[in-house]
Amino acid sequence: MSAAIHPQPGTPAADAVRRANEEATMRALARGEAVLAKWIQEGVLVDANAVADAWNINSPAVHAARKRGEIFAVWAKGKHWYALEALKLERSKLARINRTLGDVDPSSKLLFFLRQHGALGGRIVADAVADGDLDDVVRLAASWART
């Protein structure tokens, strides 16, 4: 490989590459934060109080459910936010899907719930589950978790 592609560590060229990578990472993080802020404003993401109301429990119980893996949250603006889309599912079905997704990062889980999936006939998760295709969603979640 050429030195232009992989400059020697500690050289000005290597420092420039490192700085460029750090700047690109910071810009990407800022774009991600902006998207999350927009989704919060639009109601795509809701706070623990909304989950508590939907599940008829209190906010500490929502946080406990998150810790148990029944529901996932993304971190933005200094607190946990939950996918409104996930609240369209029965709690036990959401827990099954979320646990199948396992250690997938919360942002990827969010995309899993928001995205139309070809494997589900172009439907989003909530629509597929509503149509009785929970097992198909769980298989897709297992596949998603392996990638």
Side-chain angles (χ1 to χ4, degrees):
M1 300 204 171
S2 81
I5 296 173
H6 298 286
Q8 291 296 319
T11 64
D15 291 343
V17 168
R18 181 188 46 76
R19 279 192 306 277
N21 287 340
E22 288 172 355
E23 290 168 6
T25 299
M26 294 305 292
R27 287 190 304 272
L29 289 171
R31 285 191 306 273
E33 284 291 324
V35 169
L36 291 176
K38 179 182 176 198
W39 284 348
I40 291 166
Q41 183 180 11
E42 293 174 349
V44 174
L45 296 172
V46 297
D47 64 12
N49 292 327
V51 179
D53 290 345
W55 286 0
N56 198 29
I57 59 176
N58 60 29
S59 291
V62 172
H63 296 298
R66 178 180 43 77
K67 288 178 182 177
R68 286 191 305 270
E70 292 178 27
I71 191 169
F72 68 94
V74 294
W75 184 260
K77 295 187 170 190
K79 67 182 197 177
H80 289 103
W81 295 89
Y82 301 85
L84 181 62
E85 194 64 31
L87 296 179
K88 294 179 180 178
L89 303 172
E90 292 175 23
R91 189 172 170 181
S92 63
K93 292 176 181 178
L94 172 59
R96 182 174 173 203
I97 296 165
N98 193 52
R99 287 182 176 138
T100 301
L101 287 167
D103 292 333
V104 171
D105 66 274
S107 295
S108 293
K109 287 181 180 184
L110 177 61
L111 293 176
F112 180 81
F113 280 88
L114 296 177
R115 180 175 184 238
Q116 293 175 323
H117 296 276
L120 299 176
R123 296 173 294 172
I124 60 173
V125 168
D127 291 344
V129 172
D131 292 342
D133 296 324
L134 176 61
D135 289 338
D136 291 340
V137 171
V138 170
R139 278 191 291 278
L140 181 60
S143 176
W144 189 278
R146 287 190 299 269
T147 58

